[in-house]
C-alpha cells in the first residue's frame, strides 16, 4: 500500500499548495474565492495528517515530514500573519494545527518550541492579535498553548511587549478582555520560579501598571486583578515580592480604600490582600503607623464587615484574627 493515495497528497505538496494559495489570498483579487477554497482543503488535509482519522492514528514519519515542511517553508508564520484572511472554519483549523504541532515531542525535545524560540516574532504576532477582533480569541488560544512551555513564556514575560497586556485586559469588548486576562494570569502563575525572578527584576514597572488595574472603572478587571494579586503575594515562591509589596504604605492605603468599594465582591478580594499586611509579623514602621492611626475605625469597620457571610467559617476566623492583631498593636517607644 502506498503511504499516500491520490486524494491524500504528501506533506510537501500540501504545504506548497497552501503557501501558493495564501499568496493569492493576500492579493485580495478576483481569484480569492478559489484560493480560499483551496486553503480550506489544504488545512483539512493537514489536520487529518496531524490528528489522524477516527479509525487510525497518524503515521509518525508523515507527521514529522509535515512539521519539517512547515518549519522550512515559513508557512507557520504566514498562517498567523494572514489569519484574518482565512474563513471561519479555516481559522479553527489553523488553531488546531498550530496547537497540535506545538505539543509534538521527540523524546524530551519539543521541535516546535525550539522553532518558535528561534522565531520569537511568532509569539508577538499572536499577542498583537488581541488588537484584531476577528482573530483575537483564536490568537489567545494559541498563545496560551505556547505559554505552557517555559522557554516561550520566558520570551513573552521578559519582552517589552508584555506590558501590552495591561491595555488588552481593559479592552471594551468583554470576551477579548477576558481572554487577554486569562493569558495574562497564565503567564504570571504557571512557571513559579521563572515568574518570581521576573517580578523581582521588574517590580517597580509591573506594580505601577498593576495599580492602574486595581483602580480600573471596569468591575471585572478590578475584581480579577485583585484576585490575581492575592494569589501572587500568597504564593511561597513570591515571598520576596510579598515582603516588598506589604512594606509600602501606599499599597496598604489602596487596600483600605478597596475594602470600602461599593461591590461586596471587590471588598472580599481586597480583604484577602489586606490581611497579609496585618498578619505579617515583620511590619515596617510606616505600615504600623497607618494601622495605629486608624486603629479604632478599623476595629469597628471589621467587626461589622460582611457579617452576612455566616457560612464562611474561615473568613470569620480570619476577620477575628485581624481584629485581635490590630487591637494588640502598640506604639513603639521613640
Amino acid at each position: 500500500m502506498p503511504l499516500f493515495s491520490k486524494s491524500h497528497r504528501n506533506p510537501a505538496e500540501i504545504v506548497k499548495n497552501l503557501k501558493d494559495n495564501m499568496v493569492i489570498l493576500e492579493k485580495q483579487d478576483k481569484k480569492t474565492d478559489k484560493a480560499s477554497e483551496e486553503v480550506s482543503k489544504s488545512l483539512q488535509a493537514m489536520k487529518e495528517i496531524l490528528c489522524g482519522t477516527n479509525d487510525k492514528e497518524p503515521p509518525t514519519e508523515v507527521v514529522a515530514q509535515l512539521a519539517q515542511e512547515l518549519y522550512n517553508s515559513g508557512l507557520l508564520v504566514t498562517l498567523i500573519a494572514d489569519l484574518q484572511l482565512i474563513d471561519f472554519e479555516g481559522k479553527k483549523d489553523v488553531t488546531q494545527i498550530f496547537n497540535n504541532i506545538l505539543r509534538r515531542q521527540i523524546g524530551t525535545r519539543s521541535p516546535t518550541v525550539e522553532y518558535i524560540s528561534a522565531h520569537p516574532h511568532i509569539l508577538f504576532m499572536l499577542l498583537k492579535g488581541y488588537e484584531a477582533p476577528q482573530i483575537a480569541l483564536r490568537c489567545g488560544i494559541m498563545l496560551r498553548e505556547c505559554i505552557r512551555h517555559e522557554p516561550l513564556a520566558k520570551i513573552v514575560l521578559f519582552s517589552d511587549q508584555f506590558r501590552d497586556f495591561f491595555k488588552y485586559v481593559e479592552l471594551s469588548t468583554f470576551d477579548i478582555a477576558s481572554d487577554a486576562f486569562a493569558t495574562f494570569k497564565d503567564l504570571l502563575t504557571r512557571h513559579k520560579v521563572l515568574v518570581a525572578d521576573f517580578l523581582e527584576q521588574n517590580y517597580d514597572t509591573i506594580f505601577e501598571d498593576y495599580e492602574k488595574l486595581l483602580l480600573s472603572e471596569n468591575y471585572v478587571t478590578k475584581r480579577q486583578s485583585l484576585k490575581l494579586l492575592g494569589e501572587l503575594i500568597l504564593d511561597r515562591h513570591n515571598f520576596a515580592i510579598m515582603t516588598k509589596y506589604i512594606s509600602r504604605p501606599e499599597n496598604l492605603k489602596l487596600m483600605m480604600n478597596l475594602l470600602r468599594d461599593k461591590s461586596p465582591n471587590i471588598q472580599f478580594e481586597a480583604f484577602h490582600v489586606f490581611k497579609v499586611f496585618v498578619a505579617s509579623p515583620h511590619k515596617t514602621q510606616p505600615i504600623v503607623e497607618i494601622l495605629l492611626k486608624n486603629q479604632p475605625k478599623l476595629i469597628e469597620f471589621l467587626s461589622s464587615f460582611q457579617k452576612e457571610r455566616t457560612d464562611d467559617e474561615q473568613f470569620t476566623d480570619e476577620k477575628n484574627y485581624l481584629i485581635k492583631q490590630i487591637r494588640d498593636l502598640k506604639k513603639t517607644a521613640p
Side-chain angles (χ1 to χ4, degrees):
M1 277 286 287
L3 203 50
F4 304 101
S5 66
K6 268 282 185 223
S7 60
H8 290 79
R9 294 162 300 172
N10 69 42
E13 288 172 353
I14 295 169
V15 167
K16 184 180 185 313
N17 187 54
L18 185 46
K19 199 166 168 72
D20 291 347
N21 282 289
M22 288 304 296
V23 170
I24 298 169
L25 267 194
E26 284 170 5
K27 290 177 183 162
Q28 290 288 292
D29 59 19
K30 59 181 183 293
K31 294 178 185 169
T32 299
D33 288 349
K34 175 76 179 132
S36 188
E37 268 176 52
E38 285 297 319
V39 166
S40 293
K41 282 183 199 165
S42 296
L43 288 171
Q44 283 289 337
M46 205 178 275
K47 199 168 76 166
E48 200 171 297
I49 288 175
L50 287 172
C51 307
T53 52
N54 292 336
D55 52 346
K56 61 179 189 294
E57 283 286 301
T60 313
E61 66 274 27
V62 188
V63 172
Q65 198 184 332
L66 176 59
Q68 209 50 56
E69 290 290 341
L70 278 169
Y71 306 148
N72 294 345
S73 65
L75 184 61
L76 215 50
V77 178
T78 305
L79 288 172
I80 294 163
D82 292 341
L83 192 59
Q84 69 273 27
L85 302 177
I86 299 170
D87 67 22
F88 181 76
E89 286 302 320
K91 287 185 180 73
K92 279 163 54 177
D93 289 341
V94 169
T95 308
Q96 205 173 336
I97 290 162
F98 182 90
N99 285 1
N100 190 295
I101 208 153
L102 190 57
R103 293 184 199 121
R104 181 173 161 262
Q105 284 191 284
I106 304 171
T108 55
R109 284 184 55 227
S110 298
T112 309
V113 174
E114 291 168 14
Y115 177 79
I116 295 173
S117 295
H119 301 82
H121 62 291
I122 292 173
L123 294 165
F124 304 126
M125 283 160 64
L126 289 173
L127 179 56
K128 202 166 174 57
Y130 280 124
E131 295 174 20
Q134 68 275 34
I135 59 167
L137 301 183
R138 291 279 139 210
C139 288
I141 293 168
M142 291 185 272
L143 188 54
R144 278 192 296 284
E145 192 64 42
C146 290
I147 286 163
R148 292 166 69 93
H149 303 274
E150 192 166 330
L152 303 185
K154 185 176 184 177
I155 291 169
V156 179
L157 272 174
F158 285 89
S159 69
D160 292 341
Q161 289 92 325
F162 172 76
R163 293 180 75 184
D164 290 343
F165 274 106
F166 290 101
K167 65 180 183 196
Y168 296 151
V169 301
E170 291 253 59
L171 287 168
S172 56
T173 308
F174 177 77
D175 287 356
I176 298 174
S178 296
D179 195 277
F181 199 93
T183 310
F184 179 63
K185 183 182 177 182
D186 239 19
L187 258 177
L188 290 175
T189 54
R190 186 174 281 278
H191 307 285
K192 307 288 190 185
V193 177
L194 171 68
V195 168
D197 184 37
F198 164 71
L199 290 175
E200 282 182 55
Q201 286 187 43
N202 298 278
Y203 180 90
D204 288 330
T205 51
I206 295 304
F207 280 91
E208 191 179 309
D209 285 337
Y210 206 98
E211 185 178 326
K212 291 168 192 161
L213 297 184
L214 299 175
L215 294 168
S216 172
E217 293 295 312
N218 183 316
Y219 162 77
V220 177
T221 302
K222 189 190 279 194
R223 186 183 177 190
Q224 287 178 322
S225 302
L226 260 173
K227 196 171 189 145
L228 177 56
L229 176 64
E231 197 177 321
L232 288 173
I233 66 171
L234 288 168
D235 189 303
R236 62 185 179 81
H237 293 88
N238 296 330
F239 183 78
I241 303 303
M242 181 266 281
T243 305
K244 191 179 271 195
Y245 190 84
I246 65 167
S247 71
R248 304 204 169 172
E250 61 274 19
N251 296 334
L252 174 58
K253 287 175 187 170
L254 175 58
M255 286 310 132
M256 285 165 67
N257 283 331
L258 289 171
L259 279 173
R260 293 160 50 220
D261 192 271
K262 61 180 183 291
S263 158
N265 290 324
I266 301 276
Q267 294 171 8
F268 185 65
E269 299 302 344
F271 174 83
H272 287 300
V273 179
F274 172 74
K275 72 185 180 190
V276 187
F277 287 91
V278 180
S280 169
H282 307 294
K283 299 177 192 65
T284 58
Q285 196 51 37
I287 297 297
V288 173
E289 282 168 13
I290 290 171
L291 293 174
L292 278 171
K293 186 180 173 187
N294 295 278
Q295 196 176 37
K297 284 181 186 169
L298 278 169
I299 292 167
E300 185 187 347
F301 175 80
L302 288 170
S303 300
S304 58
F305 181 69
Q306 300 213 346
K307 271 189 165 171
E308 66 283 0
R309 281 187 192 269
T310 47
D311 55 343
D312 190 340
E313 283 183 29
Q314 187 184 341
F315 170 69
T316 307
D317 290 346
E318 286 179 349
K319 203 170 71 154
N320 290 336
Y321 176 74
L322 295 192
I323 291 169
K324 184 182 183 313
Q325 290 292 305
I326 295 167
R327 189 174 279 132
D328 291 351
L329 273 177
K330 300 281 188 290
K331 286 188 172 66
T332 51

